[in-house]
Amino acid sequence: MLNTLLPLMDAAPAASPAGGGSSMLIFILLMILIFYFFMIRPQQKKQKKIEEARNSLQKGDKVVTIGGIHGKIVDIKDSTFTIEIAHDVRIEVDKAAISFNEAALGKKPAEKKEEKQENE
């Protein structure tokens, strides 16, 4: 009985289909490229614009912090700004705490709701 089972065990397919591994590798590389060009690269560009905008701020510029505090820059240090928020009321904030919206970075705001629906 054992002799009849041995030929059946040798006949089992041992090879996997050719090209299965390489197509999966190409698919993974394609997904990485898609994530890079549609998610990572635009975020890096935006961060670079924000950094350039922070470095271009000068004394007298009006700013808004990420906490919503409005003020005017009165002193600039290596990593901080001193902001005057009222007459003789000054606070020191980190440069990263300055907020920038889309309009401040040079993007045009969307058309005003299609000119208020073409003036109805």
Side-chain angles (χ1 to χ4, degrees), residues 52-65:
E52 289 172 356
R54 281 191 182 122
N55 290 334
S56 70
L57 290 174
Q58 299 176 1
K59 290 182 182 181
D61 290 344
K62 293 184 179 182
V63 294
V64 179
T65 66

Side-chain angles (χ1 to χ4, degrees), residues 34-96:
I34 289 172
F35 274 110
Y36 177 76
F37 283 110
F38 289 109
M39 295 177 75
I40 298 170
R41 190 166 176 242
Q43 185 64 28
Q44 289 175 339
K45 283 184 173 183
K46 184 176 179 182
Q47 283 300 115
K48 186 177 179 181
K49 281 185 179 180
I50 289 172
E51 190 65 30
E52 289 172 356
R54 281 191 182 122
N55 290 334
S56 70
L57 290 174
Q58 299 176 1
K59 290 182 182 181
D61 290 344
K62 293 184 179 182
V63 294
V64 179
T65 66
I66 56 176
I69 299 172
H70 294 249
K72 182 174 65 171
I73 297 176
V74 293
D75 189 30
I76 300 174
K77 295 182 183 172
D78 287 338
S79 62
T80 61
F81 291 120
T82 302
I83 300 174
E84 185 174 44
I85 57 176
H87 183 67
D88 291 335
V89 179
R90 296 178 179 187
I91 59 173
E92 189 170 346
V93 296
D94 194 48
K95 284 187 177 183

